[in-house]
Amino acid sequence: MEFTYRYDARKVKQEHGRPQFPEHLVEMLKRALERTGRFVMTADGNSMLPAIRAGEQVIVEELKRRPEIGDIVLVCHPSGLRAHRVRYIQGNRLITMGDNNKLIDEACTIQDVLGIIRYKLNTGQPEAVPKPRV
């Protein structure tokens, strides 16, 4: 199942000064994962360079295990969907960060994780997303 959605925070209803991500979209993604176990979405932005480039398609798979440090997870954040790498775990809380970012993201919980990204599509064929050089 391929899924493409362009999110524009300027057009979303503002509550408490922060854009709120559309609930119906999150529910649609959850149903897609329940039915097929995965969906394809197009990456937007440069936060995961060089592992994932803007415009590349990634495969989001349902979360069958607890996320681990180094996994790329798709998180539902109040400002939108964020696909970043897990950097720190404490109990039920995760800290994520884009490979190309200098600052960590706001903490989230495991319940905020929609899925895991391990593969991207290169000329239609799945290819493992490279791990960052340490």
Side-chain angles (χ1 to χ4, degrees):
M1 167 187 247
E2 184 172 332
F3 172 79
T4 304
Y5 181 86
R6 177 133 330 245
Y7 175 71
D8 187 348
R10 295 169 299 192
K11 294 182 181 178
V12 177
K13 180 181 173 186
Q14 294 273 337
E15 292 182 16
H16 307 293
R18 295 179 73 181
Q20 297 298 306
F21 195 68
E23 292 283 328
H24 69 279
L25 177 60
V26 174
E27 291 307 313
M28 185 172 66
L29 296 175
K30 287 179 181 178
R31 281 196 307 275
L33 287 172
E34 287 171 7
R35 289 185 182 148
T36 64
R38 70 179 78 178
F39 63 85
V40 175
M41 67 183 285
T42 302
D44 187 27
N46 297 315
S47 66
M48 285 302 294
L49 284 174
I52 300 172
R53 299 182 187 288
E56 286 187 312
Q57 292 184 313
V58 295
I59 300 172
V60 180
E61 299 174 331
E62 72 179 309
L63 198 59
K64 294 182 179 178
R65 60 169 173 75
R66 186 175 169 85
E68 298 173 356
I69 292 174
D71 287 343
I72 299 172
V73 292
L74 182 65
V75 175
C76 180
H77 187 266
S79 63
L81 293 177
R82 175 177 66 211
H84 284 171
R85 203 173 298 274
V86 175
R87 300 294 182 173
Y88 184 75
I89 301 171
Q90 183 178 25
N92 197 35
R93 295 172 53 103
L94 303 175
I95 299 291
T96 60
M97 181 178 166
D99 290 355
N100 194 36
N101 290 356
K102 293 184 185 333
L103 301 173
I104 61 172
D105 301 322
E106 184 178 320
C108 63
T109 66
I110 292 175
Q111 289 76 22
D112 296 326
V113 176
L114 295 178
I116 188 167
I117 298 170
R118 296 183 302 144
Y119 301 98
K120 59 184 178 177
L121 295 176
N122 188 5
T123 63
Q125 298 298 316
E127 171 186 300
V129 175
K131 302 239 183 216
R133 286 186 251 165
V134 181

